[in-house]
């Protein structure tokens, strides 16, 4: 999955992540936000890797994929037990954004660095929505029945390593260290469960650590 179209940066969402969800931002913040949104696109270099696997066994809080990789834990099992397949996805906006944020931090432009960091989060979210739209067309009549991330509930952060390994033949741009952290920093690994029932859960509403 190489192309999902132009990335849209939702400024209102960036402001919410900056803490201005319920109040108007100062003019200087709005000005810097507008400037960063206008100039950010050359620093966004998306790379997207996805692969679909059949689920061959579900039992004892374990989901076994066709290549015998096993996803363990009650949370993953409950989310994926109604699914027939999974789509493993790894996507990034690239390392240039990391470098730009570091540049701001080293040059006393902390606010611009914070704004750019949140723009990166919103860009990743937009990429994810693009992945889901393309995926729905590819797997129809199956639907996206679940969406799980390493670190949620008892779905260990170790599963970032499993996602990385499952895409090792496609991925040439993203690395992972011994603590299972991806590089570039602005990288996400996710597993979409594919089944007959659509996933309607609002991830923000159900999150125990809301950003806003």
């Amino acid at each position: 999955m190489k192309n999902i179209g132009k990335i849209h940066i939702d400024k209102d969402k960036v402001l919410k992540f900056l803490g201005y969800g319920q109040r108007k931002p100062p003019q200087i913040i709005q000005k810097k936000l507008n400037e960063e949104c206008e100039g950010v696109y050359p620093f966004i270099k998306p790379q997207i890797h996805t692969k679909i696997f059949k689920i061959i066994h579900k039992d004892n809080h374990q989901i076994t994929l066709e290549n015998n990789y096993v996803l363990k834990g009650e949370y993953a099992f409950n989310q994926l037990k109604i699914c027939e397949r999974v789509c493993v996805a790894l996507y990034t906006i690239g390392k240039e954004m990391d470098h730009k944020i570091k540049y701001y931090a080293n040059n006393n432009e902390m606010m611009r660095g914070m704004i750019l960091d949140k723009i990166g989060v919103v860009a990743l979210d937009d990429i994810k929505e693009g992945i889901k739209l393309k995926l729905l067309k590819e797997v129809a009549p199956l639907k996206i029945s679940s969406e799980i991330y390493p670190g949620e509930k008892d779905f260990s952060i170790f599963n970032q390593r499993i996602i990385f390994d499952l895409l090792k033949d496609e991925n040439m741009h993203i690395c992972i260290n011994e603590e299972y952290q991806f590089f570039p920093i602005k990288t996400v690994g996710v597993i979409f469960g594919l089944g007959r029932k659509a996933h309607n859960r609002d991830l923000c509403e159900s999150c125990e650590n809301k950003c806003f």
Side-chain angles (χ1 to χ4, degrees), residues 1 29 76 94 119 133 135 146 162 181-182 207:
M1 188 178 288
I29 299 296
I119 289 174
L133 286 174
L135 183 59
S146 63
I162 290 182
Q181 181 180 16
F182 293 132
C207 180

Side-chain angles (χ1 to χ4, degrees), residues 166-180:
L166 287 168
L167 293 165
K168 62 184 177 184
D169 293 336
E170 289 79 10
N171 170 34
M172 300 288 288
H173 307 90
I174 299 168
C175 303
I176 191 169
N177 66 15
E178 293 181 352
E179 285 75 40
Y180 314 119

